[in-house]
Amino acid sequence: MRVAIHQPNFLPWIGFFDKWRKSDVLILLDDAQLPKKGGSWTNRCRIADTHNETQFWLSVPVQRPPSSTQAINRSLVDNSQMWARTAYNRLAASYASLPGGPVILEEVKVLFSHRYDLLVELNRAGLDALGRLLGLSFDRVVLASDMGIRTTGTERLRDLVKCVGGSEYLSGQGSSSYLEPNVLEDSGIRVVWQRLQGFSNTVSYPTPNTLGLSVVDLIARCGPVEARRVLENL
């Protein structure tokens, strides 16, 4: 059984959904630490302005303690700011006229119409909505915080995989600088590296610098059916 592990990011890029699709279980690392300041993929994503093909950050404001870090699943959304309305309006201005624009904008409108106190709950709801459009089931998604694993580093990844009965760990290329494959392999867990060769070959996604953009962009440009085909051919 193949397992992937990823932080519960906000409206993430297609690589996140590729890991989800290619795994039997996706573990959301919801008890990882949010940075003390600035943004991360956990509370922001990249969006294209389709009128001039520039990109901008779409961010969720979060409350941070002044002198310490906090876990993602304890991070509060700063609902004192009217971020949801502003975020939706920016998305609508960019994507309303595109083939899949009405579909994805309706999903985002429903998502943003709810008040989420916890960032992780907002992100889980967003992943569920996007996953359904892409043919992925949230039934295969579990939270790391529910498992009670206290180890760190690669040992923690190993123990999370073992906890759900996994025999393979699907790792993104970005982890090659810190992952210790032998820690997993010595426990009988095979490391499989994620590859996205098919992404640059699709003819239905013409915008430049696509690898950093939220999958919202892909669905808006192509519609959910074609976006699913793109995903399945990665």
Side-chain angles (χ1 to χ4, degrees):
M1 185 174 71
R2 180 176 292 179
V3 179
I5 301 174
H6 209 293
Q7 292 187 11
N9 288 351
F10 174 63
L11 306 181
W13 75 304
I14 195 171
F16 182 104
F17 297 92
D18 178 68
K19 287 179 74 173
W20 183 354
R21 187 184 73 84
K22 291 176 178 175
S23 61
D24 298 298
V25 176
L26 172 65
I27 299 174
L28 294 180
L29 205 61
D30 63 317
D31 50 5
Q33 297 297 304
L34 193 72
K36 289 183 181 181
K37 58 183 179 179
S40 76
W41 295 110
T42 314
N43 74 309
R44 65 180 184 176
C45 63
R46 293 291 287 175
I47 295 294
D49 182 334
T50 58
H51 302 293
N52 55 25
E53 293 302 352
T54 59
Q55 296 181 16
F56 60 90
W57 288 110
L58 194 74
S59 300
V60 180
V62 294
Q63 300 177 28
R64 288 183 172 89
S67 59
S68 64
T69 58
Q70 63 185 356
I72 295 167
N73 61 1
R74 294 182 179 274
S75 298
L76 297 174
V77 176
D78 186 356
N79 285 306
S80 67
Q81 302 183 39
M82 302 298 290
W83 69 270
R85 180 183 300 175
T86 301
Y88 176 80
N89 288 341
R90 294 202 73 180
L91 290 171
S94 188
Y95 296 133
S97 63
L98 297 184
V103 173
I104 190 60
L105 287 173
E106 181 59 29
E107 290 289 343
V108 172
K109 184 177 182 179
V110 171
L111 175 68
F112 288 176
S113 68
H114 296 280
R115 177 190 171 97
Y116 296 94
D117 292 323
L118 289 171
L119 177 64
V120 68
E121 293 302 326
L122 167 64
N123 289 0
R124 287 179 67 189
L127 293 174
D128 186 17
L130 293 173
R132 281 187 282 103
L133 289 178
L134 296 170
L136 301 172
S137 172
F138 213 71
D139 293 340
R140 298 190 290 130
V141 179
V142 297
L143 296 177
S145 61
D146 289 339
M147 300 181 195
I149 303 297
R150 303 303 178 199
T151 45
T152 60
T154 303
E155 287 80 8
R156 183 156 198 255
L157 301 180
R158 174 201 63 199
D159 293 343
L160 288 169
V161 173
K162 290 172 64 176
C163 188
V164 296
S167 57
E168 290 186 347
Y169 172 60
L170 177 60
S171 178
Q173 292 290 338
S175 65
S176 60
S177 61
Y178 62 83
L179 184 72
E180 301 175 84
N182 61 296
V183 172
L184 292 135
E185 291 166 354
D186 289 348
S187 296
I189 299 170
R190 177 171 173 256
V191 177
V192 180
W193 294 98
Q194 181 187 27
R195 290 179 172 79
L196 299 169
Q197 299 110 317
F199 189 79
S200 60
N201 298 328
T202 177
V203 295
S204 11
Y205 198 6
T207 184
N209 303 317
T210 54
L211 291 184
L213 291 174
S214 167
V215 78
V216 166
D217 187 89
L218 173 64
I219 297 170
R221 293 175 189 271
C222 304
V225 173
E226 181 63 14
R228 188 180 301 186
R229 188 196 70 80
V230 171
L231 180 63
E232 290 172 350
N233 283 279
L234 292 179

